[in-house]
Amino acid sequence: MSKKIILIVIDGLGDEPIPQLKNKTPLEAAKTPNFDFLAKNGVCGLVLPWHEKGKLPTSEDTHLAIFGYDPKKSNPGRGVLEVLGIGEKIKKGDVCFRGNFATVDENSVIIDRRAERIEDTEDLIESLNRIKIKGVKLIVRKAFGHRIGVIFRGKNLSTKVSSNDPKKVGVKVLKIKGQKRMVKILEEFLEKARAVLENHPKNKKRIKEGKLPANYILVRGAGKLKKIESFKEKYGLKAGFIAGGTLYKGIGKYLGMEEIKVKGANGTIKTNLKGKFLAAKKAIKNFDFIFLHIKACDNLAEDGKFLEKKEFIEKIDQNLKPILNLKNVLIVITGDHSTCSLRKSHCNLPNPILIYGAKKDGCKKFSERECKKGKLGILKQIDLMKKIFTLTKGF
Ligand code: ZN
């Protein structure tokens, strides 16, 4: 009988040595007795994140690669994954975007890319859904916090359009470029959305209260749904996922995995870690494979908060108990890509990996430097599933 698998992906886990942490990485500096127990009694190595040539790795590409899918062929665009993650059905031909509320001034210069991370956006979204665009049905849905998913439904729509997001403040929003008709549709939406938002009572109230109005929509990641082999078709395994962040729910759904819902799992530092691990322990009885995603390390590192990243790693470790002594289950723990706290961005450094439940290689601790000595060696992300399967056989 093959073993079952729980794969834990800690987003942005790997990092560089940091002078303020005595030249240790956040993972090395963290007290992680449970990770270390699994590493000591398992096998370790490093995983090279998948990325396009000359670019930094993205979460969606690296996840697809972890699951053994070639990101070049299988990535449908971030918009599709976000919309799936929200729980919205996508029809053939729909063009999906991820988007967010932002604040611009009268000259379309960005003041805040996230409109002070506005959260209560339900009534704004309701108004946006009343916008009419000729020949196209518009669907706007709420995602976590200030984020939204946008779907354009109609005939012969194109994904060949650029984003209006300059990704920094103090500059003008970018002009949309690309396929003529789609540019026109998108521009019409953005213009009408701006008018609706400028006049919305919620924004008038926000201004009165000294807050920034959520008066603009930034869109990016245009994509259409792709038909790909499901995880079940590819590996013959019944798979479930546990995730808080919308993108990761979308990736799970895109691969045909079943969602295991956990109250309070939300992709932030306040996520219900204990609930997630308890749910994984319970669910593995009915599934062959569980993908459990934890987001916050990535966000903390992107904000330069290496100390908080270290502390959050410790918090994950403290909540790991439910899955420590499962019978006939292989535990795999790794990151999707590294996020370098000092650079405040994703980086190309490899991620440590530990696989517990098969062999032992004398690794002392779960960390970048210690895993480098591990018997798994340095793996390409796309080969990871194959490697895991070789370790599950023969039990
Ligand atoms: Zn990531």
Side-chain angles (χ1 to χ4, degrees):
M1 195 184 108
S2 280
K3 290 201 174 192
K4 295 185 170 195
I5 301 158
I6 296 178
L7 167 68
I8 299 163
V9 179
I10 303 173
D11 212 289
L13 174 65
D15 210 315
E16 303 174 286
I18 291 168
Q20 294 93 322
L21 297 176
K22 295 185 182 155
N23 275 324
K24 290 179 175 176
T25 68
L27 178 61
E28 286 167 349
K31 277 198 188 73
T32 54
N34 294 317
F35 283 148
D36 299 345
F37 165 81
L38 296 174
K40 273 181 209 157
N41 295 287
V43 280
C44 299
L46 292 177
V47 185
L48 294 166
W50 193 96
H51 61 90
E52 276 183 62
K53 227 180 168 181
K55 289 192 179 168
L56 294 174
T58 68
S59 284
E60 56 271 31
D61 282 338
T62 52
H63 274 81
L64 289 168
I66 285 174
F67 296 120
Y69 292 78
D70 179 354
K72 273 219 153 95
K73 291 182 198 147
S74 58
N75 188 344
R78 178 90 178 229
V80 168
L81 298 170
E82 292 275 345
V83 166
L84 286 175
I86 290 169
E88 192 65 31
K89 286 247 162 19
I90 300 174
K91 290 191 178 170
K92 207 179 157 202
D94 285 359
V95 174
C96 306
F97 292 84
R98 64 189 292 225
N100 54 268
F101 287 97
T103 309
V104 294
D105 71 9
E106 60 281 8
N107 300 313
S108 299
V109 170
I110 297 196
I111 297 168
D112 189 328
R113 286 184 57 246
R114 301 177 184 95
E116 292 175 330
R117 291 191 183 269
I118 183 170
E119 285 188 9
D120 53 335
T121 57
E122 289 83 356
D123 44 356
L124 296 175
I125 289 169
E126 202 186 313
S127 302
L128 290 176
N129 274 306
R130 278 189 229 118
I131 292 173
K132 298 273 178 279
I133 298 169
K134 209 180 160 203
V136 180
K137 184 173 164 54
L138 167 75
I139 302 160
V140 185
R141 290 290 177 264
K142 181 168 171 55
F144 192 72
H146 57 284
R147 301 175 188 91
I148 54 171
V150 184
I151 306 174
F152 294 96
R153 184 164 292 163
K155 280 190 184 133
N156 304 319
L157 298 180
S158 172
T159 58
K160 293 198 170 58
V161 276
S162 61
S163 166
N164 59 348
D165 185 358
K167 298 218 164 160
K168 51 184 168 191
V169 295
V171 294
K172 264 194 170 187
V173 300
L174 301 177
K175 216 175 143 38
I176 305 277
K177 288 179 190 157
Q179 199 252 0
K180 227 171 145 189
R181 178 166 169 250
M182 201 62 210
V183 169
K184 216 174 140 239
I185 290 169
L186 204 53
E187 277 177 345
E188 187 177 339
F189 164 65
L190 293 170
E191 245 167 67
K192 288 183 172 169
R194 187 166 178 179
V196 164
L197 295 171
E198 292 277 12
N199 291 312
H200 200 283
K202 160 147 288 157
N203 276 328
K204 289 189 172 158
K205 193 170 161 242
R206 281 178 71 86
I207 292 170
K208 242 186 220 165
E209 289 167 353
K211 292 179 186 163
L212 291 175
N215 62 1
Y216 194 74
I217 302 289
L218 292 170
V219 285
R220 58 191 190 279
K224 277 185 186 178
L225 194 60
K226 272 187 183 180
K227 180 80 191 114
I228 57 156
E229 209 182 1
S230 73
F231 194 82
K232 178 97 192 268
E233 285 163 344
K234 198 172 171 71
Y235 299 115
L237 298 179
K238 189 185 174 199
F241 71 88
I242 299 168
T246 321
L247 172 65
Y248 311 93
K249 290 184 188 191
I251 290 167
K253 285 182 184 170
Y254 182 54
L255 301 183
M257 297 179 181
E258 211 174 290
E259 181 170 12
I260 298 153
K261 288 189 179 159
V262 175
K263 216 176 164 193
N266 57 19
T268 73
I269 50 167
K270 288 185 191 141
T271 191
N272 181 5
L273 286 169
K274 194 176 176 191
K276 286 170 95 168
F277 288 116
L278 280 170
K281 180 185 179 174
K282 204 172 152 204
I284 198 66
K285 290 178 193 151
N286 303 315
F287 288 86
D288 305 310
F289 184 97
I290 300 286
F291 156 46
L292 192 159
H293 182 265
I294 299 169
K295 176 67 181 165
C297 280
D298 176 51
N299 296 120
L300 291 169
E302 280 193 330
D303 289 342
K305 297 177 174 169
F306 50 83
L307 206 60
E308 286 89 338
K309 181 174 175 180
K310 168 196 158 278
E311 285 164 5
F312 189 72
I313 291 169
E314 290 174 343
K315 207 170 151 192
I316 300 171
D317 186 85
Q318 286 156 15
N319 283 285
L320 219 55
K321 288 251 159 63
I323 59 153
L324 282 187
N325 285 305
L326 295 175
K327 285 205 177 93
N328 236 14
V329 178
L330 208 69
I331 307 284
V332 184
I333 305 177
T334 189
D336 53 346
H337 49 76
S338 294
T339 306
C340 288
S341 299
L342 296 179
R343 303 183 216 177
K344 296 185 178 181
S345 79
H346 291 188
C347 51
N348 284 332
L349 297 174
N351 258 297
I353 180 168
L354 73 80
I355 302 180
Y356 169 82
K359 295 176 185 166
K360 224 170 149 172
D361 70 356
C363 204
K364 288 192 192 75
K365 187 180 161 30
F366 185 48
S367 76
E368 291 88 339
R369 267 176 268 218
E370 194 59 30
C371 286
K372 201 175 171 183
K373 304 176 204 159
K375 289 249 161 59
L376 285 175
I378 299 174
L379 299 169
K380 277 192 193 161
Q381 211 160 27
I382 196 103
D383 297 329
L384 183 58
M385 285 305 296
K386 262 187 259 161
K387 189 78 202 175
I388 292 172
F389 289 133
T390 61
L391 292 169
T392 60
K393 289 197 183 112
F395 291 90

